[in-house]
């Protein structure tokens, strides 16, 4: 079983990171949209918000571990036949996905730190997380919370858009270009060559 990446394919660790995080993030997106539509005073709403925060911290921890793993591993080369502009789009797209995987939980953390309610964050009721210092430039606590809510929503919607493009690109590789780009994110040890 190949754990590490090679220049031609992803290892098991990168593949598990990718699919675990894809599921978790898409789930958290839907969860966020669902919970913000609930009656804030309903008995279960508070617990759902706390669960959203806890799972968001799991994403933050996983993306830091994933970036460390990425730095310690070779990145599989893109197919040689890919035009320069598509290579650039792939690199920018992946960088954007990593940036959003970091920025969305951080904006959520900053948002709950700004809340005038001062609700503590205890990940899965076990691990207390301190509030972040909120920049004065964001105004009063209530103003800062409103701005950061808007930012969290905007970044999450931006991620959705980028993921749609990312999936479309993966499907184009598989069905139109007929290369190994999608298959090498599903199983280890595949080579980059036309089918
Ligand atoms: C990758 C991780 C995350 C994703 C994809 C995500 C996604 C979302 C989405 C889509 C919403 C609904 C926004 C709207 O349409 O109004 C939302 C709301 C919210 N998120 Fe997250 N979130 C993540 C992480 C976090 C974290 C780490 C925290 C806090 C520590 C957090 C706190 C909140 C709160 C408090 C709301 C409700 C905001 C409101 O009342 O309008 N989220 N999130
Ligand atoms: C929230 C959802 C997702 C996120 C955040 C995400 C993020 C990423 C990132 C950051 C990479 C670059 C990995 C690296 O080289 O370090 C990547 C690669 C990849 N993703 Fe996703 N992804 C998501 C969903 C999906 C889905 C649903 C598909 C399939 C249809 C997919 C297919 C791929 C493929 C094929 C690659 C490999 C590209 C290559 O070999 O260069 N991803 N993804």
């Amino acid at each position: 079983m190949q754990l590490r990446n090679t220049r031609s394919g992803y290892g098991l660790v990168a593949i598990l990171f990718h699919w675990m995080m894809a599921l978790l993030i898409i789930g958290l997106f839907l969860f966020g949209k669902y919970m913000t539509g609930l009656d804030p005073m309903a008995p279960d709403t508070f617990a759902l918000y706390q669960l959203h925060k806890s799972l968001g911290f799991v994403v933050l921890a996983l993306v830091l571990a994933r970036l460390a793993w990425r730095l310690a591993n070779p990145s599989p080369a893109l197919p040689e036949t890919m035009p320069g502009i598509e290579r650039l789009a792939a690199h920018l797209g992946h960088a954007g996905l990593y940036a959003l995987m970091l920025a969305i939980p951080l904006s959520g953390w900053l948002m709950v730190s700004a809340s005038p309610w001062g609700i503590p964050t205890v990940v899965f009721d076990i691990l207390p997380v301190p509030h972040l210092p909120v920049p004065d430039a964001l105004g009063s606590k209530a103003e800062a919370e409103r701005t950061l809510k808007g930012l969290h929503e905007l970044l999450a919607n931006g991620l959705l858009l980028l993921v749609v493009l990312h999936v479309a690109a993966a499907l184009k590789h598989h069905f139109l270009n007929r290369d190994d780009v999608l298959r090498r994110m599903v199983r280890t040890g595949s080579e980059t060559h036309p089918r």
Side-chain angles (χ1 to χ4, degrees):
M1 184 58 72
Q2 179 196 323
L3 291 182
R4 291 176 56 84
N5 298 350
T6 63
R7 281 300 286 161
S8 61
Y10 287 99
L12 185 64
V13 176
I15 293 177
L16 286 180
F17 266 130
H18 179 270
W19 293 110
M20 255 168 40
M21 292 196 69
L23 270 181
L24 197 58
I25 291 170
I26 293 169
L28 264 178
F29 181 89
L30 298 173
F31 190 163
K33 294 285 175 194
Y34 168 72
M35 72 180 194
T36 45
L38 297 175
D39 170 6
M41 293 304 157
D44 294 335
T45 307
F46 180 80
L48 288 177
Y49 269 62
Q50 300 315 305
L51 182 59
H52 178 89
K53 286 158 62 178
S54 294
L55 292 170
F57 275 107
V58 173
V59 170
L60 184 58
L62 284 175
V63 75
L64 292 175
R66 182 174 178 183
L67 282 169
W69 182 256
R70 189 179 202 277
L71 288 176
N73 272 261
S75 290
L78 293 168
E80 274 163 22
T81 48
M82 241 173 109
I85 185 80
E86 286 185 21
R87 287 171 182 276
L88 182 68
H91 290 311
L92 288 178
H94 293 165
L97 288 167
Y98 278 118
L100 288 170
M101 283 190 278
L102 274 170
I104 295 171
L106 286 176
S107 66
W109 189 0
L110 212 50
M111 177 208 319
V112 298
S113 306
S115 168
W117 298 94
I119 297 166
T121 299
V122 186
V123 174
F124 298 115
D125 277 334
I126 299 172
L127 184 71
V129 176
H131 286 327
L132 292 174
V134 180
D136 291 339
L138 292 176
S140 70
K141 283 209 143 190
E143 283 167 350
E145 189 194 25
R146 208 174 323 116
T147 306
L148 291 162
K149 262 184 196 172
L151 180 66
H152 191 67
E153 183 181 357
L154 185 75
L155 293 174
N157 290 341
L159 177 69
L160 179 70
L161 182 71
L162 202 50
V163 168
V164 168
L165 294 174
H166 178 69
V167 171
L171 296 178
K172 173 184 176 289
H173 275 284
H174 194 68
F175 291 109
L176 296 181
N177 303 349
R178 296 173 162 265
D179 58 29
D180 263 358
V181 165
L182 180 56
R183 274 188 294 166
R184 72 183 185 178
M185 197 34 112
V186 178
R187 59 175 168 71
T188 60
S190 62
E191 294 291 326
T192 305
H193 54 66
R195 254 188 279 158

